[in-house]
Amino acid sequence: MTTSPAASVLFVCVHNAGRSQMAAGFLAHLAGDRVEVRSAGSMPGDQVNPSAVAAMAEVGIDISDQKPKILTTEAVQASDYVITMGCGDACPYFPGKKYLDWKLEDPAGQGVEAVRPIRDEIKALIENLIAEIDAKQLEG
């Protein structure tokens, strides 16, 4: 028996190379198949930030195979939660979606030492998000 995911989450940042990739990695790792995970950028970079990849590897999560993707209207429409991280108004708005804006420092151009606290902040936000999604499932 296959069950559909409890929710679909889209993480958006400008380059889809650091914060959104780390968030997607944490959510996929911590929630497994319970949540559908997407990430995208308004101006995607060429590759995922190597410092973000290294910082995530330190906590046992491999995001080295991820590639920055362009933000599409379809991705937003298909998501229950749209979580932006510094891309502001670049994200299309659709009624009925839950929009969250996480104020996180941009790890672009920073070493692993500077990325670790951003990673840890993202993990805490993801744990809260999973708790919220699980609570909604119980209500539903």
Side-chain angles (χ1 to χ4, degrees):
M1 178 179 127
T2 54
T3 57
S4 61
S8 176
V9 179
L10 171 64
F11 296 103
V12 183
C13 66
V14 176
H15 300 297
N16 188 219
R19 295 166 290 189
S20 56
Q21 293 286 356
M22 288 191 287
F26 270 126
L27 185 57
H29 180 77
L30 297 171
D33 294 342
R34 294 183 302 147
V35 178
E36 186 178 8
V37 181
R38 297 183 180 88
S39 71
S42 50
M43 297 182 338
D46 297 327
Q47 65 177 22
V48 174
N49 179 333
S51 295
V53 172
M56 292 299 284
E58 289 178 352
V59 295
I61 300 173
D62 181 6
I63 60 169
S64 63
D65 61 341
Q66 297 301 308
K67 303 272 183 267
K69 295 170 280 307
I70 186 74
L71 175 64
T72 65
T73 301
E74 294 77 21
V76 176
Q77 283 179 305
S79 301
D80 301 309
Y81 290 80
V82 179
I83 300 174
T84 57
M85 304 169 182
C87 71
D89 298 335
C91 201
Y93 179 82
F94 292 96
K97 309 290 175 198
K98 176 142 189 185
Y99 288 85
L100 301 170
D101 186 39
W102 290 353
K103 306 283 188 223
L104 296 161
E105 192 178 332
D106 188 349
Q110 300 195 55
V112 176
E113 302 77 30
V115 175
R116 282 184 192 120
I118 301 168
R119 173 201 67 201
D120 295 344
E121 189 177 352
I122 290 170
K123 182 179 185 212
L125 289 164
I126 292 297
E127 288 169 340
N128 290 336
L129 177 66
I130 291 169
E132 180 179 322
I133 290 169
D134 287 345
K136 276 197 173 17
Q137 280 297 103
L138 293 174
E139 292 169 11

